[in-house]
Every structure is written in structure tokens, then in C-alpha cells.
Amino acid sequence: MNATVVNCNYLSVFIYFCQPMIYLILLIFTLSFLLFLLPRKIREYQALWVAVLLSAVFVWFSNKIPLISGGGTLTFNREWIPLLCLNFEFVLDGLSLSFALLVSGIGVLVFLYAHSYMKSYQNTTKFFFYLLLFSGSMLGLVLSSNLVQLFIFWEFTTILSFFLISYFHEKDDSRKAAFQSLVITFLGGLSMLAGILLIGNVAGSYSIDDWIANAGKIRQSNEYLPGLLLILGGVFTKSAQFPFHFWLPGAMQAPAPVSSYLHSATMVKAGIFLLMRLTPVLGGTPEWTSIVPLVGVLTMLTGSYFAVTQTDLKAILAYTTINALGVLVLLLGIDTEEAVKAAV
């Protein structure tokens, strides 16, 4: 079956296909603020309402599986600042659909779990506000096909992670862990942005499609290696790769629903997602197959060693997560069809 690309220049197709992607993200962001307006009696069940919302999101994405598995792609493109190559660009393809299902599906389970877990705590509305905003930001990240737009959602997840890790802000360890994760992942994000701007200057665009179309030109340019290193800086800090892995165990100071959702299942996979998305552009070079697998192996071994020495369950979760992330980076660094399939 030939790829079906939805062109949003046609109003009827735009209304039918493209807007729901944007509506889902906007709906999540809007409802997160409306949590503060819920009556007190209903507010006790706010986590359940959010779980219902994410269930609907999961069902919507699930309904797109036949189209996407058949080679179809849904896209949304709108100009914003064309002189700077900044546009609103979203895409639903195989990779983004997989991660969207991950974010929404695990989100349902986490909010159901949090409904019971957070009953004994106060200010839970603020907690669920941050967590729901994170869900919307993560969906925006994985659906973005403009890399500057992706960076904005990337930093949203960083900031929200800071607020969620510091939820128990009266504890010194929570505040220290929150600031540590914020500094490391924020600096990594700035490194990634610098790499995006550098490579984008070569491609003449920040659109992922344009980067793929100009992959050969990018790999042969003098900006390839510094751009690759800068982007990998963002990937490695976000996904807790060696030697930046130490922030992730500290992040387990957050409530358990946060640890399971952000720091094991979704946010730390953002770096893996970006690595997968940019493999057709930056992969296949000696630099890629030297740097990426080495870091993955070191991370895998580090996570494995510390995981077997722990007795605390959340510490074990943290280090086994580091181990799994290292395995994924190693497979993507090997850069063969079989290795990429294994990573997925």
C-alpha cells in the first residue's frame, strides 16, 4: 500500500484528520488548569477523571493503528515564523504512534494508581495538574516534526519533572534531587538546541522531513560532528546515560507515581525517541557507531552493577531503568536493521 500523507492545505481534510491531534494536546493542557475549578466532592476523584481522559486519548491513537501500519501518515503543518524556519509541525507515523500509545496507555495506569497513592497527601490538585501537563507535553514532544518545536516540549517536561520531584519540598533530599535533575537535563537541552541550530543551518530547515531529505549533505558537512555531539549531549542527559546517569536515582525522591511514569516509562525515553527519530539523518557514520554504542554499553554495565547492589525497591527501579536505557542506546548505536527492530 502506498503511503497516505494527509495534506493539511486542504481545509476539509484538515478538519477531518489533522485537528484531532492538536485538539488532544490542547484539551489535555486546558483540562489540567480546570482541575483547580472542580468542586471539592468531585476533586476527590480527579485522578479517575484524568484516567478516563487518557483512556479516550489511548483509544483515539489505537484507532489509527490500521492506517499507520498500512503505511499511512497524518501530518499537520502551519507557518509560524517562516523567515526563521519555525513552523507548527506535527506528524503521526509509526514511531510517534508507538510512543503516543506508551504515554497515554501507561498514563491511564499511573493515574489509577495515583488515585489511591495520593489519598493521604494534601495539595493533590497541584500534583495532578503537573502530572497532566506532563502528559500533554510528552505527547507534544513525540508528535512534533519540527525540532525547535520538539525542543520546547522537551524543556516543558524538564520543568515539570522538577516540580514533581520537589513535591515533598520540605525534605532536603527532594529539593537537592530536583535541582540536580533540573540543572543536568536543562543544560543537556541547551546543548541539544545548539546542535539543532547547527545542523538546521546546513539543512536550511528544522523540519525532520527536510533533515532526512538532506541526510547525505548533513553527514558530509563540517558541522556534522559538532552538531552530533551537541545533540547527543541532550539525548544522553535526558535518558540518564553514563556519565550523567546519577540524576535518575535521586529523582526517585518523587512520589512513586512520578517515578514510574516520568523516570521509568516516559520522560527518560524522550532521548531514546530523539535518537530513533534522527537515526536516518545522523546514523550510519563511524562517529555514530563509535560514540553511541560505547555510551550505551557503559550505561548498561553501570546500571546492572548498581541494580544488584541495592535493597531499596525504588533504587532498584532506578538502576534497572538505567540499564534498560543503556541497552536501547547500544542497539540504536549498532545501527543495523535488526538492532533497530530489537530496540523498538
Side-chain angles (χ1 to χ4, degrees):
M1 176 178 178
N2 294 328
T4 303
V5 180
V6 179
N7 188 335
C8 295
N9 292 327
Y10 299 97
L11 182 61
S12 60
V13 179
F14 166 78
I15 292 173
Y16 184 72
F17 282 112
C18 296
Q19 282 192 355
M21 254 198 303
I22 312 304
Y23 282 161
L24 288 177
I25 298 172
L26 291 177
L27 179 64
I28 291 173
F29 275 94
T30 302
L31 292 182
S32 63
F33 287 93
L34 293 179
L35 290 177
F36 293 102
L37 303 179
L38 291 176
R40 185 177 298 275
K41 291 183 179 180
I42 299 179
R43 196 176 298 177
E44 296 178 5
Y45 304 98
Q46 57 192 329
L48 299 181
W49 293 115
V50 173
V52 171
L53 168 65
L54 290 180
S55 297
V57 173
F58 181 81
V59 169
W60 188 87
F61 282 115
S62 298
N63 287 335
K64 302 304 175 187
I65 292 176
L67 172 65
I68 303 302
S69 62
T73 303
L74 302 182
T75 63
F76 172 89
N77 300 288
R78 275 294 176 269
E79 288 188 348
W80 179 27
I81 311 177
L83 290 177
L84 298 178
C85 301
L86 298 180
N87 301 314
F88 294 108
E89 299 179 44
F90 294 89
V91 63
L92 187 66
D93 57 10
L95 182 62
S96 57
L97 177 61
S98 299
F99 276 82
L101 291 170
L102 188 77
V103 172
S104 56
I106 294 180
V108 172
L109 301 177
V110 167
F111 275 96
L112 290 175
Y113 170 47
H115 171 67
S116 297
Y117 186 93
M118 300 302 295
K119 277 185 176 179
S120 59
Y121 296 106
Q122 297 180 344
N123 297 322
T124 56
T125 299
K126 184 170 67 174
F127 172 85
F128 290 118
F129 166 72
Y130 290 141
L131 203 58
L132 186 54
L133 272 183
F134 170 81
S135 298
S137 300
M138 195 69 198
L139 280 177
L141 190 159
V142 300
L143 294 172
S144 293
S145 58
N146 182 288
L147 286 157
V148 174
Q149 174 186 303
L150 184 148
F151 164 77
I152 294 171
F153 284 114
W154 181 285
E155 292 301 85
F156 278 168
T157 63
T158 295
I159 294 168
L160 292 167
S161 174
F162 166 78
F163 285 124
L164 288 165
I165 295 171
S166 61
Y167 180 75
F168 299 127
H169 55 81
E170 67 279 359
K171 298 180 181 179
D172 290 337
D173 289 343
S174 295
R175 294 196 300 271
K176 180 181 177 181
F179 277 108
Q180 184 183 71
S181 67
L182 177 67
V183 170
I184 293 172
T185 55
F186 184 73
L187 291 178
L190 292 180
S191 169
M192 183 187 77
L193 177 62
I196 290 171
L197 296 177
L198 199 60
I199 301 295
N201 187 52
V202 177
S205 170
Y206 302 118
S207 172
I208 292 173
D209 288 339
D210 291 336
W211 280 33
I212 294 174
N214 291 279
K217 179 182 177 182
I218 291 171
R219 294 191 193 104
Q220 294 170 8
S221 68
N222 293 330
E223 286 80 7
Y224 169 74
L225 182 57
L228 172 66
L229 293 175
L230 288 168
I231 290 174
L232 289 180
V235 169
F236 292 160
T237 52
K238 194 75 161 182
S239 291
Q241 298 297 296
F242 180 89
F244 309 107
H245 63 282
F246 57 88
W247 72 264
L248 186 57
M252 294 297 168
Q253 293 293 331
V258 175
S259 300
S260 59
Y261 195 27
L262 275 69
H263 305 126
S264 185
T266 55
M267 190 189 84
V268 290
K269 301 297 191 307
I272 305 299
F273 169 81
L274 186 61
L275 210 58
M276 290 180 172
R277 182 63 86 193
L278 294 183
T279 294
V281 180
L282 303 177
T285 64
E287 294 87 352
W288 176 279
T289 54
S290 298
I291 298 169
V292 178
L294 176 61
V295 172
V297 166
L298 292 173
T299 305
M300 176 184 69
L301 295 176
T302 301
S304 299
Y305 171 76
F306 284 105
V308 298
T309 63
Q310 302 300 312
T311 56
D312 179 77
L313 287 176
K314 291 183 76 175
I316 294 172
L317 175 66
Y319 284 110
T320 52
T321 298
I322 291 171
N323 167 261
L325 293 169
V327 172
L328 293 173
V329 170
L330 168 62
L331 290 169
L332 293 172
I334 294 172
D335 201 23
T336 64
E337 183 179 350
E338 292 77 12
V340 172
K341 285 182 178 179
V344 174

